[in-house]
Amino acid sequence: MELSALRGVGEAMLARLHTLGLRRVSDVLLHAPLRYENRTRLGMIADLQHGEDALIEGVVLSVEQRQKARQSNWHVRLQDESGALNLWFFNPPPGIAAMLKPGQALRVFGAVKGGMLGFDMAHPEVLRLPAPLDTALTPVYPAQAGLSQGYLRRVVNEALSLWTQKPDILADELPSELAQGLALPSLREAVVCLHRPPPAQPACLDAAKQRLVFEELLAQQLGMRRWKNHAERWLARPLCAEPELGQRLRAGLPFALTRAQARVLEDIAADVVQPRPMRRLVQGDVGSGKTVVAALAACAALEAGQQVAIMAPTELLAEQHQRNLTAWFAPLGVAVVALTGSQKGVARRKALEAVAQGHAGVVTGTHALFQDGVAFHDLGLIVIDEQHRFGVQQRLALSEKGRQGETHPHQLVMTATPIPRTLAMTAYADLDVSVLDELPPGRTPVATAAVPDSRRDEVMARLGTACRAGRQAYWVCTLVEESEKLEAKAAEEANETLCAALPDVRVGLVHGRMKPRDKEAVMRAFKLGKLDILVATTVIEVGVDVPNASLMVIENAERLGLAQLHQLRGRVGRGAVESSCVLLFSPPLSAIAKERLAVMRESNDGFLIAEKDLELRGPGEFLGTQQTGLARMRFADLARDSELIPQVREVADVVLRDYPQAVEPLIARWVGAGVELAKV
Ligand code: ADP
Ligand code: MG
């Protein structure tokens, strides 16, 4: 049922609710609170503590209002039997302002701060008395500008009462025998408790969450199984295991393949000779040489006259593939064409034509490769690089793009993120896995040091000395907030500081908000040695390859996760020169940050670092979309809940066998539209 069926949801609010991913009434019912506030117990002003949330009832003693420019500041004294409290409001809405009158009895809830003149509450929630006291905890929902907590709570309440009248809005799809066998509550019990947990029974909330986590993981598993069963019926055109083109490419390489590369290529050769599409995941640490594996895999399709699409997660990386692959393939007479989102006009038309008419053998690009309007002449193989940036959905969409009747292209997926086994069972259940567990010879581990921010000048000076001696360095600016804009600003500032401190050193800047052409020009200059220091944001995190760069400084290193630090550090240590990495941090360090930095100092091994990463993540922290390639889950957390997976798989078997009618509704509820594609 659509959200507009709820009272109080008009056009304007509808749009805002959509941005939270809430489209149907059932989405509202399953909108998980971030946390809860306890407004079931009244406190006394005399007992207030700095830093806690408190619920207070009292009478307004005085109201003082000050107008400053367009801001009106209100200072209200509220008194109960035990003392008085300061309330502060800035531009209170008329409804609230009307309650702020001397003599008015109010109930307020807010965070308490200890101030000079007793305790303060800024912007408390206010209720006119008399009013009944809450009996359940108050949920705090993920919100968005223009959606207040009060409004979200009202919408949830509306949804809950409508659901009582119309149970079909969110039917309980898990057969009750199964739920009981697993000691899980019914869906109704779970959802009601989720939004209105009784304060005296914390176990109810735990059980509710268990039910929802289990159901979500189960749906994920069912979606994967259905997709896998479906894909297993696909056909593909068998290719040659040892194409002559591949032998020529290999002969022209300036290095010999590692044993691991050769082994993975054998796996690939065994896949592509089958009449079914290859669906293989190649997992190899940063720098293990995945690109050349992709190029050699491409040869089989190219030799059969088919096209190969190579998709990267960022433009920077796509441009790098374009350069590398052109260098390898152009001498062999294979045209490599780039399709990027920023191409315009004639350039774009020409590229599209080359792809549509088959002149382009290899096509590189970002997801722009698979937009509408791009038609391949005859796509035989899709390579997805750095897979963790793409979701299952995109993988499916890609396969559809290359479909000709019942025939699908082969698919090769490459990732540098080691994947824990339980995660692989859900996220990659449909892929076969090969591991590149060897780095090319001659790599030296990157010597890593953690250095407090106070020694930044010293780090800069040493960087200057190294650059004057002919070395190249990255200076990476990172922020936790996912704001390209702020990150770009931080990089611009670092760029200015470095230019001022080291006037004789050539410093360049690259960040995500620059035009692709400008970015590429800077990258090229760095690669050609015309720049000594590249100041960059995390745009360089994945895949960028400049073997001569041997120094890296990472700012705010304490705020990054291990996986990301390892990815970034993987940009150095690629040539024969001894490399080093400085992790700048601002003290004091949390215990976890301390441990992370220690792991980085002690290890260069991606698999070990990934294991530590899982260990160090506290429960409730998500393995985000970027890492897993999975859409973010609503209740489940693969790091926290991974021990449930074997049981989830067993239950999935039972559901598939005994309750097939539950499969589709569960998938539709939790996995959503993306996997609809799998039905075609
Ligand atoms: P990643 O696995 O991180 O994508 P790349 O494919 O970018 O790694 O390779 C990293 C570097 O190693 C590149 O400069 C590449 O040319 C080089 N390389 C790849 N395979 C070998 C090898 N067998 N011997 C020596 N160097 C290699
Ligand atoms: Mg790579």
Side-chain angles (χ1 to χ4, degrees):
M1 190 176 292
E2 294 296 317
L3 270 189
S4 47
L6 295 176
R7 261 193 304 172
V9 180
E11 284 290 321
M13 286 309 192
L14 205 58
R16 291 180 193 160
L17 290 164
H18 281 179
T19 61
L20 282 180
L22 306 177
R23 299 191 160 267
R24 288 165 304 184
V25 177
S26 55
D27 295 330
V28 171
L29 291 171
L30 294 173
H31 192 47
L34 289 171
R35 58 190 172 85
Y36 299 91
E37 290 168 350
N38 192 343
R39 303 172 192 192
T40 62
R41 279 212 326 264
L42 275 180
M44 300 301 284
I45 291 175
D47 301 334
L48 290 180
Q49 300 271 345
H50 173 80
E52 67 176 14
D53 287 342
L55 187 72
I56 298 290
E57 285 184 1
V59 176
V60 174
L61 265 186
S62 63
V63 179
E64 203 182 312
Q65 192 186 342
R66 242 179 258 147
Q67 196 70 29
K68 220 193 311 164
R70 260 192 254 142
Q71 176 139 302
S72 102
N73 295 345
W74 297 52
H75 173 203
V76 175
R77 294 278 290 170
L78 187 78
Q79 188 176 41
D80 72 1
E81 295 151 29
S82 70
L85 166 72
N86 301 305
L87 309 178
W88 301 93
F89 298 87
F90 308 104
N91 297 332
I96 304 245
M99 293 188 225
L100 306 178
K101 301 237 163 73
Q104 175 70 52
L106 296 178
R107 183 184 301 146
V108 298
F109 179 85
V112 177
K113 293 230 167 67
M116 296 267 282
L117 310 163
F119 285 106
D120 295 308
M121 253 187 210
H123 278 283
E125 289 181 36
V126 186
L127 205 67
R128 198 182 265 128
L129 289 176
L133 210 55
D134 287 351
T135 51
L137 298 181
T138 308
V140 178
Y141 295 101
Q144 194 100 68
L147 287 173
S148 69
Q149 289 297 330
Y151 178 75
L152 284 170
R153 283 174 205 140
R154 278 201 300 283
V155 171
V156 169
N157 283 340
E158 285 291 328
L160 284 168
S161 53
L162 193 63
W163 188 33
T164 311
Q165 295 157 28
K166 302 191 171 147
D168 283 353
I169 290 174
L170 185 69
D172 198 334
E173 302 293 348
L174 200 59
S176 54
E177 311 87 271
L178 272 183
Q180 277 159 20
L182 294 160
L184 294 173
S186 74
L187 188 62
R188 177 167 298 272
E189 285 170 295
V191 168
V192 170
C193 180
L194 182 73
H195 297 292
R196 297 173 175 170
Q201 297 170 38
C204 151
L205 190 56
D206 288 341
K209 286 186 181 157
Q210 270 166 28
R211 155 81 199 217
L212 295 164
V213 164
F214 196 90
E215 187 173 319
E216 183 167 34
L217 289 174
L218 178 65
Q220 204 85 44
Q221 188 65 225
L222 290 169
M224 237 3 124
R225 291 284 187 93
R226 184 185 61 181
W227 153 241
K228 189 173 183 210
N229 290 342
H230 172 76
E232 265 160 12
R233 294 196 300 269
W234 283 354
L235 301 176
R237 290 167 296 176
L239 301 172
C240 168
E242 289 196 8
E244 202 219 311
L245 189 66
Q247 287 159 19
R248 280 163 56 209
L249 176 56
R250 232 158 138 152
L253 289 175
F255 48 74
L257 295 182
T258 63
R259 262 167 312 178
Q261 284 170 323
R263 185 164 31 76
V264 170
L265 280 164
E266 277 170 28
D267 291 345
I268 292 172
D271 288 341
V272 298
V273 296
Q274 304 294 325
R276 290 181 303 280
M278 158 167 75
R279 289 201 316 276
R280 183 163 295 278
L281 175 72
V282 173
Q283 200 179 310
D285 206 350
V286 282
S288 59
K290 294 184 289 293
T291 319
V292 74
V293 168
L296 287 164
C299 290
L302 292 169
E303 188 150 292
Q306 300 164 13
Q307 291 170 295
V308 178
I310 300 191
M311 180 163 81
T314 63
E315 295 229 340
L316 204 58
L317 200 48
E319 286 153 15
Q320 179 174 296
H321 281 332
Q322 177 65 21
R323 268 197 305 277
N324 284 339
L325 294 166
T326 307
W328 285 331
F329 279 118
L332 303 177
V334 175
V336 183
V337 167
L339 266 187
T340 67
S342 54
Q343 268 167 348
K344 298 265 149 25
V346 185
R348 175 150 186 92
R349 211 181 57 237
K350 278 202 173 144
L352 286 173
E353 251 172 42
V355 175
Q357 293 173 358
H359 303 316
V362 177
V363 187
T364 65
T366 57
H367 51 271
L369 276 183
F370 294 92
Q371 278 163 356
D372 291 340
V374 180
F376 286 84
H377 175 65
D378 183 6
L379 185 58
L381 169 68
I382 297 172
V383 179
I384 309 178
D385 192 14
E386 305 294 352
Q387 135 83 7
H388 57 294
R389 293 292 177 98
F390 289 112
V392 181
Q393 280 86 327
Q394 276 142 317
R395 227 159 61 214
L396 306 191
L398 296 197
S399 235
E400 282 307 306
K401 193 85 182 181
R403 185 159 78 117
Q404 301 174 19
E406 284 307 296
T407 306
H408 283 259
H410 295 283
Q411 233 183 70
L412 181 65
V413 172
M414 306 197 294
T415 178
T417 312
I419 300 149
R421 215 175 70 88
T422 43
L423 189 58
M425 280 186 197
T426 48
Y428 307 100
D430 61 317
L431 298 175
D432 301 311
V433 180
S434 297
V435 182
L436 270 179
D437 51 5
E438 185 185 1
L439 294 181
R443 299 280 166 87
T444 43
V446 182
T448 302
V451 174
D453 218 20
S454 50
R455 288 170 56 197
R456 156 192 295 255
D457 289 348
E458 192 186 321
V459 170
M460 281 192 191
R462 283 218 239 152
L463 212 55
T465 313
C467 289
R468 283 175 210 117
R471 299 179 68 176
Q472 283 181 289
Y474 295 100
W475 185 285
V476 189
C477 300
T478 68
L479 290 174
V480 245
E481 301 96 292
E482 296 239 328
S483 160
E484 245 188 8
K485 194 167 158 191
L486 288 177
E487 224 179 35
K489 194 159 157 279
E492 274 158 11
E493 282 167 16
N495 183 37
E496 277 165 30
T497 319
L498 278 164
C499 287
L502 310 169
D504 57 327
V505 169
R506 298 162 302 172
V507 183
L509 170 68
V510 49
H511 59 67
R513 287 168 67 86
M514 286 164 57
K515 291 212 181 78
R517 194 186 310 145
D518 298 341
K519 255 191 298 194
E520 202 194 344
V522 175
M523 283 306 298
R524 190 185 302 122
F526 187 60
K527 193 153 190 163
L528 292 175
K530 292 182 179 159
L531 291 172
D532 304 307
I533 299 182
L534 184 67
V535 179
T537 57
T538 45
V539 293
I540 61 148
E541 178 188 339
V542 259
V544 169
D545 184 40
V546 180
N548 191 51
S550 59
L551 299 168
M552 173 172 281
V553 178
I554 304 179
E555 292 202 71
N556 298 320
E558 80 278 8
R559 302 202 219 155
L560 298 186
L562 275 174
Q564 200 177 12
L565 283 171
H566 180 65
Q567 286 286 332
L568 281 171
R569 185 176 59 179
R571 303 306 116 222
V572 291
R574 306 195 139 225
V577 216
E578 181 112 358
S579 294
S580 32
C581 176
V582 173
L583 306 171
L584 278 180
F585 66 88
S586 16
L589 287 178
S590 70
I592 287 205
K594 221 177 251 171
E595 183 130 2
R596 278 201 208 114
L597 296 184
V599 171
M600 288 301 293
R601 279 204 312 270
E602 283 154 24
S603 177
N604 271 275
D605 177 343
F607 283 79
L608 193 138
I609 289 175
E611 268 170 32
K612 281 280 176 199
D613 196 20
L614 262 184
E615 247 172 60
L616 286 180
R617 278 167 202 277
E621 251 184 275
F622 280 97
L623 269 178
T625 322
Q626 289 198 344
Q627 287 210 356
T628 58
L630 275 183
R632 179 167 281 198
M633 295 203 256
R634 280 182 263 182
F635 292 93
D637 171 347
L638 284 169
R640 181 194 62 201
D641 302 320
S642 61
E643 75 273 26
L644 284 176
I645 303 281
Q647 196 183 25
V648 168
R649 280 155 62 90
E650 279 170 32
V651 174
D653 287 334
V654 176
V655 172
L656 285 166
R657 190 186 63 220
D658 300 339
Y659 308 97
Q661 72 286 359
V663 173
E664 292 304 319
L666 280 171
I667 294 175
R669 172 175 304 165
W670 293 101
V671 188
V675 175
E676 294 298 302
L677 273 165
K679 283 198 238 161
V680 269

